[in-house]
Structure formats: structure tokens, C-alpha cells
Amino acid sequence: MIRKLLIANRGEIAVRILRACRELEIATVAVHSTADADAMHVRLADESVCIGPPPAAESYLNAAAILAAAEITGADAIHPGYGFLAENPDFARMVEEHGYTFIGPRAEHIAIMGDKLAAKRRMRELGVPVTPGGEEPVQRPEQALEMARGIGYPVIVKAVAGGGGRGMKVVHDEGELVQALELARGEAQAGFGDARVYIEKFLDRPRHIEFQILGDRHGNVVHLFERDCSIQRRHQKVVEEAPSPALTEEERREMGALVARAMAEIGYVGAGTLEFLYADGCFYFIEMNTRLQVEHPVTEMVTGVDLVREQIQIAAGEPLSVDQEEVRIAGHAIECRITAEDPETLLPAPGQVLTYHPPGGPGVRVDSALYAGYRVPPYYDSLIAKLVVHDRDRGQCLRRVSRSLGEYVIDGMPTTIRLLRAIVEDEQIHLGAYDVGWLERFLESRRR
Ligand code: MV4
């Protein structure tokens, strides 16, 4: 049984986890840096512990300080949220070795999915469709040329330790390959301390569609269908929705069943997301996230399943509260990520909140740690709120998002609210006709 839970995170996700704990009657411990002394998650928690100075490396990434906070407060479980230590297998192992319950998957599964090639290989063995291409890191240029010829151009060079799009190079023909390899290797070494790269077929204008799964400690795995996260900029998701307007009922059911079966086979425990590129009616696995995701509320809104409550109950050894037959999609949900950014440069521009008026009404959920008077610290992510809207169908949902964005007042810093409104009012978006490059093209056309 979990009596007291420490939240090793900040911002809206710390508040989200606090809410789940309250409803489960679990006491909460917030940890915070000195920059976050007046943060909402600290105010809402039963207890709080300062774990270090503003830079994340010295606070939210400081495993020893977090374990010390758990020790002095007598917490029995730790939830890492997303980012920071959420996908660090050493942290998961350390938490368990110190006698605390880690709210997340087994360290072994975090580790394998952190290695993009190992994950791809494992998924192929499990019968999950993967992108055509190598499953071994590239060794010599001659071998790379041979491999690329076999795959067929265009190909893409990716870092084994990568993810999130960093260190990728598209190669259109043989003449570009060797130089691209060298560039990718250099970036991979500098960015991840691991120079290994691999080659696969480059898919033109795919969509990013991901499947949510939950596994318990009794061998049950369910899928909660998909989210379409194709509306991105520089590999940062901006708008997410469920269900995907691109899939047929049959594709969604088949793919869901396939990922759930694969995860049951490896004994996956906790919440997880399998990310796919989707092009020409086919799915290609790219990576798996072994954590709660930013966009998890979209799935919660259409299925009614509280993913954070499930995570905590799973960690406590309880069975899933739903079986596959009970997981149904009702209506449509859309999430808009509101960030504190300059509308021209789209660079982070934090400030102090002067007026704060969040939207409300039917089907409207706001996940945020903002309040009037709050100073957004410049040290962390620029995400300040998630507006998540539910309605009976996609058309109504888009109009409800637009209406909610129109009500939202955040004075004191520039935000992406107006940009989001232009996105959800766009004709192509209403048609569901978008891919992973759509937002960049949209921004480019607005600049001109
Ligand atoms: C690709 C691809 C096309 N072909 N792989 C970018 C993030 C990383 N997770 C995988 N990414 C891509 N991999 C092949 N074989 C195009 C992308 C990609 C992308 C993927 C998802 C969401 C947005 C994207 C934006 C640009 C490129």
C-alpha cells in the first residue's frame, strides 16, 4: 500500500499527480528548487522539501537529493512525472534499491527502450511493424553505402541514443551519404555521448500516431487507442488529438490489439506509449516512451480512464481497473500546449502573470500550475498550460477549442494562444489533412 508519495517533478505535471493522490487519499511530498519556492505544486502538496539551486542538473535531476527528501519525509513511493529522471533506468533501480516504490515500468524495460536500435529489434521480434532498414549501428562507410543501396534512397541517418528528432540527417542520394554519416556521428557524440548511428528508409510526410498502453503486475495489458501528434514544430508537439482523423475503425482496433499483445509478451508494467510513423496506410514503429506523456489527458478525455490513478494503483500491485472490452472511445478530444514564447521568434519569454482567467464550461479541462501573480522561472520548460477539450465529434471539438482559447486570458507574458487559435481554425486542420511537416509550412506561410 502507498501512504505517502513523493513527486519528483514540477509544474503542471506535478499538480496533475497531486490531484490523483488527493483522490486516492495518499499524502503528498513536493520537491522543489530554490527558483520554485512559490510554485503551485509546492503550495498544493502536504509537505515540501527544497532539493537544490535553480539549474535542473542540481535539483530535479539530483537523484541523491530526491532520495534524501523521501527519507526525511517518510515517503514510500516516488512518481517521476515526465522529463527529468522519468526515463533514467539507474534512477528507477536506485529508488527500488532504497526500498521505495517507483511509479513506472521495470528498469530493464526503461533501459531497452532508451536504446533506439535495441527497441526496434525487440519490436520486430514481437511482430510490431518497424521502418525498413538496419538494426545494427553503421560501422564503415562502404557498409553504409551497401545498406542504403539495399534500402533505397531517400534514407535517414539516426542516432542510436537519439530520439526527439535530434541528430537526424536525410540523405537523398549516394553522393550525400558519407558526409551525412560524419555529421550525424559528430552531433550524436556531442549531444548524447554516443556516436553510434543507423540508417533506415526515409518516409515522406508521415503522420505521428502513438498508442497508449497500460500493464499491471498480474500480466494484464490493455491499449487505450491512439493519439495523433503530427502537429509539431522542431520536434515539439503543439496540438494533439484522439482519435486520429487518419485511421479507420479497423486500423485502430488491429494496431491497438497488436501493441497490447506485444507488451503482454514482454511483461510490461505501467503506462507506456508506442510511437509510430504512419504513411500510405502503414505503421512503422519509431520509439517507445516508458513514462506518462504530456498529452496523456487526450486519452483520458475520450476513454474516461484516469491514467495517473492507474499508474499508482499498478505500482501498488493492484490489477488494472478496466479490461480491454471496457475501454471505449467516446467523442473526440484535442489538447493545445500553451507556452510562454515570443510569437515572432517563438523563443521562450517567461514573465510574471498579471491577469489569469482560464476558460471553463462543458468539456473543458485546464492542466496548469499558473496563478495570478506567479513568476514563471526562466530555468525550465516553457509549457505553462495545457487546454484539453472534449466534445461529441471532431468538428464540435475544434469549435469548442477555439471558443476556449478565446476565453483564455494570460497577461504578463507573450503566449502561443493566438497561434493555437489560428491552427484550430485552419481549413486543412478541419479536414484532418495534415502530416508532421504541416505546422512548419503553416508558420512559414504566415511569415510571408
Ligand atoms: C523519421 C521520419 C521519416 N522517416 N524516420 C523525428 C523524431 C523522431 N522520433 C523520428 N522522426 C522522424 N523519423 C523515417 N524513417 C521523419 C521524422 C520526423 C518527424 C517524426 C515525428 C514527428 C515529427 C517529425 C518531424 C520531422 C521528421
Side-chain angles (χ1 to χ4, degrees), residues 107-118:
E108 162 202 348
H109 289 143
I110 302 176
I112 190 163
M113 300 310 168
D115 178 325
K116 303 305 155 195
L117 265 187

Side-chain angles (χ1 to χ4, degrees), residues 136-145 147 157-161 166-169 177-199:
E136 298 297 330
V138 178
Q139 307 283 358
R140 290 168 302 109
E142 307 86 80
Q143 183 209 358
L145 285 163
M147 204 185 262
V157 182
K158 294 183 175 181
V160 173
R166 292 168 301 168
M168 303 188 325
K169 294 275 170 275
L177 185 62
V178 175
Q179 194 187 354
L181 276 176
E182 286 320 303
L183 268 171
R185 259 189 224 290
E187 279 179 30
Q189 181 61 44
F192 317 109
D194 179 349
R196 291 177 303 152
V197 298
Y198 63 104
I199 303 179

Side-chain angles (χ1 to χ4, degrees), residues 131 156 158 163-165 168 200-204 206 208 229-230 232 235 275 277 286-287 436:
T131 316
I156 184 166
K158 294 183 175 181
M168 303 188 325
E200 59 182 32
K201 179 79 189 164
F202 176 70
L203 304 165
D204 190 36
H208 171 128
C229 306
S230 304
Q232 311 203 354
H235 305 297
E275 297 189 342
L277 296 179
I286 42 173
E287 52 194 79
V436 299

Side-chain angles (χ1 to χ4, degrees), residues 34-54:
T34 53
D36 276 341
D38 356 331
M40 191 68 157
H41 76 284
V42 176
R43 294 186 174 194
L44 289 177
D46 296 311
E47 290 172 81
S48 63
V49 180
C50 182
I51 51 165

Side-chain angles (χ1 to χ4, degrees), residues 123-124 126-130 211 213 221 223 250-265 274 276 283 285 324:
M123 289 298 171
R124 185 190 40 76
L126 291 164
V128 176
V130 301
F211 279 81
I213 62 114
V221 176
H223 72 85
E250 190 185 9
E251 284 177 299
R252 120 175 352 107
R253 217 174 350 95
E254 270 185 19
M255 203 58 197
L258 190 142
V259 301
R261 188 194 40 71
M263 292 301 100
E265 199 161 319
L274 291 95
F276 293 89
F283 286 97
F285 171 82
Q324 193 64 63

